[in-house]
Amino acid sequence: MHDRVRTILAIPDRDDEDGQERVAALLAHLSRTRESLPEVADVQRRLRSTLEITSDLTVAELLDLWQDSRRKRGRMTKQYETDIRVHLKPRIGRHRVRRLGVGHLIQMFDDIDEANLAIEANNAARKDLEATISVTVCRAARKVLKDQLRSMPPYRRVTGPTTQRNIRATLRAGLNWWLKQEPGNVNVAAFLDMGDSSPRKPMVWTKQRVERWQQTGEVPSPVMIWTPALTGQFLDSIADDPLHDLFEFMAYCGPRRGEACGAKWEGLRDEEKLLDITSQLVLDGWDVLEAPPKTENGVRTIGLDDIPLAGMRRRRARQNRERLRYGSEWKDTGYIYTEPDGSHLHPGKVSDHFERLVIESGLPPVRLHDLRHGAATYALAAGVDIKIVSENHGHASTAFTRDVYTSVLPELAVAAAEATAKIIPRQAS
């Protein structure tokens, strides 16, 4: 044992003060805890890494070290930071990394699902109470109801399947970094089955599907898109809505919700009909933060048709009028689409507003994000090169674009069938 102590003490070079302090701290720690001496190779490896050699790291400590290492390289993403702060640290941060098991992760996601039920119940209760307030005439009763509303938790977003897969991906990435420092261990996040994570392919609201929906309420898929005619009908029906221009931009150009809400005037090149996408508004819980686009491919320049460009010009004129009306209270955020006082839009509230407009229109349901799917499908149907569609939408590759948007419009399916039939030689009948 004494020989191993001497060997460990000799590991750092004489001029390596940090290494000598870390080894001394290790030996002092072992003396207090009466733990066994580690192998010399293990101490050497830990000295070369950023990990503390004196402690059995908790998940929270590991994630902090991983975050620091990524920040030094300028690669820490807002998604990672949110997953760690909101979900991973509070739920599994206390566990020792070496003792972390799949059971801990299953319990974490079970807890998230339980929290989702509570959030949905509270959101529904708030909505019901707001509806009651809107039809209550008596001032005293309205005051009581409003006091009750103020005492309730605010609206919150549930942590859905996609976000849960992101949480697991964040933990897995952090554990992979740890494994580079501590080889021989296992990444338990790799053994957790989160279900099918492949992107769902859109389905089109054909005439037959619309008729069946009207009769039974059946929605064939979680991802549905309108035909161009239905999209045009919807946009015409909301011409007087304050967010008409925003929804028109999304339907024609296909940005993500956060990218549309985060589009800035400084990125608009009016004469060139181009818009630089350099930021997005994202939700942290229910708070709104500005962040870079979702992926590296998300930073891009998109072309603008005359229709969304005209909407942006109208928006600029409206903002100029509102700036005069609000005076010193105007908030110069620089965003194209804003509240009347210039403040940023809330992406969650934009989605809720869109959902209400769809219901009022009487059209078959689609989600706000499905406008993006529709824009890509329409572009492909119009004969736009798939590489251009992929770049405009910020997809990782044309393979992704091709895989997701194989559910083309019925008109394209018919045209493809006819083109195929023409190359099959047949005798004249």
Side-chain angles (χ1 to χ4, degrees), residues 12-69:
D13 295 332
R14 290 186 177 182
D15 58 351
D16 182 6
E17 295 182 3
D18 178 66
Q20 291 176 355
E21 289 178 0
R22 293 174 70 189
V23 167
L26 167 66
L27 295 175
H29 170 78
L30 296 176
S31 175
R32 288 194 305 271
T33 61
R34 298 182 180 276
E35 296 176 24
S36 59
L37 278 172
E39 295 295 327
V40 173
D42 186 48
V43 177
Q44 290 173 325
R45 184 176 64 252
R46 284 186 164 230
L47 277 174
R48 289 193 299 268
S49 75
T50 57
L51 299 179
E52 292 295 327
I53 62 175
T54 60
S55 64
D56 189 4
L57 290 173
T58 64
V59 173
E61 291 168 341
L62 164 64
L63 293 173
D64 284 340
L65 289 169
W66 178 53
Q67 282 184 285
D68 289 341
S69 74

Side-chain angles (χ1 to χ4, degrees), residues 68-279:
D68 289 341
S69 74
R70 289 185 63 86
R71 287 194 190 98
K72 290 174 183 176
R73 290 175 286 161
R75 294 178 58 190
M76 199 64 204
T77 68
K78 195 69 190 175
Q79 180 69 56
Y80 283 160
E81 291 176 341
T82 300
D83 291 343
I84 290 169
R85 178 173 53 81
V86 177
H87 299 287
L88 294 172
K89 277 190 174 181
R91 298 186 187 279
I92 60 171
R94 67 188 183 280
H95 296 298
R96 299 291 176 184
V97 180
R98 293 181 189 276
R99 300 184 183 91
L100 187 67
V102 174
H104 296 125
L105 307 189
I106 292 174
Q107 183 62 55
M108 174 175 70
F109 288 111
D110 284 347
D111 291 345
I112 289 174
D113 288 337
E114 284 287 328
N116 283 342
L117 294 175
I119 291 170
E120 289 173 344
N122 177 74
N123 290 348
R126 280 192 69 94
K127 187 172 289 187
D128 289 344
L129 186 55
E130 288 171 348
T132 302
I133 291 172
S134 68
V135 297
T136 300
V137 177
C138 175
R139 288 187 177 182
R142 282 175 63 88
K143 183 179 184 304
V144 172
L145 292 173
K146 285 184 176 180
D147 289 341
Q148 182 181 343
L149 184 66
R150 279 191 288 270
S151 68
M152 295 177 67
Y155 282 114
R156 288 181 60 198
R157 184 180 60 164
V158 298
T159 305
T162 299
T163 303
Q164 291 190 30
R165 283 193 287 269
N166 288 339
I167 294 167
R168 177 216 180 213
T170 297
L171 177 62
R172 185 171 183 175
L175 291 174
N176 279 337
W177 174 83
W178 172 67
L179 288 175
K180 292 178 182 177
Q181 328 288 330
E182 292 285 308
N185 292 286
V186 295
N187 189 330
V188 295
F191 297 96
L192 183 67
D193 183 11
M194 298 293 290
D196 183 16
S197 62
S198 59
R200 292 185 179 273
K201 299 180 180 181
M203 293 182 67
V204 181
W205 276 113
T206 61
K207 181 180 178 180
Q208 293 80 5
R209 289 171 182 156
V210 172
E211 289 175 350
R212 182 166 179 80
W213 167 73
Q214 291 171 337
Q215 295 168 1
T216 67
E218 178 185 330
V219 179
S221 170
V223 183
M224 299 297 298
I225 60 174
W226 287 321
T227 61
L230 291 176
T231 298
Q233 182 179 335
F234 172 74
L235 292 174
D236 289 343
S237 74
I238 63 165
D240 297 328
D241 189 83
L243 294 182
H244 170 267
D245 298 338
L246 171 66
F247 297 140
E248 191 173 64
F249 169 48
M250 295 183 70
Y252 276 76
C253 301
R256 298 176 177 90
R257 178 186 69 176
E259 294 169 349
C261 294
K264 294 185 175 180
W265 289 116
E266 64 185 26
L268 177 61
R269 290 179 261 166
D270 197 304
E271 294 183 0
E272 300 173 73
K273 296 184 178 181
L274 297 174
L275 177 67
D276 297 325
I277 301 294
T278 58
S279 62

Side-chain angles (χ1 to χ4, degrees), residues 352-421:
D352 291 342
H353 184 62
F354 176 80
E355 181 181 339
R356 286 193 293 271
L357 291 175
V358 173
I359 293 172
E360 291 169 4
S361 74
L363 293 172
V366 299
R367 305 166 306 160
L368 180 58
H369 191 72
D370 295 332
L371 293 184
R372 172 174 166 83
H373 293 307
T377 304
Y378 306 155
L380 293 171
V384 178
D385 185 270
I386 194 168
K387 183 170 177 27
I388 295 174
V389 175
S390 182
E391 290 176 351
N392 275 346
H393 282 70
H395 293 159
S397 66
T398 55
F400 176 88
T401 310
R402 185 178 295 107
D403 181 53
V404 173
Y405 297 103
T406 51
S407 56
V408 294
L409 296 171
E411 293 86 350
L412 276 188
V414 173
E418 292 174 347
T420 302

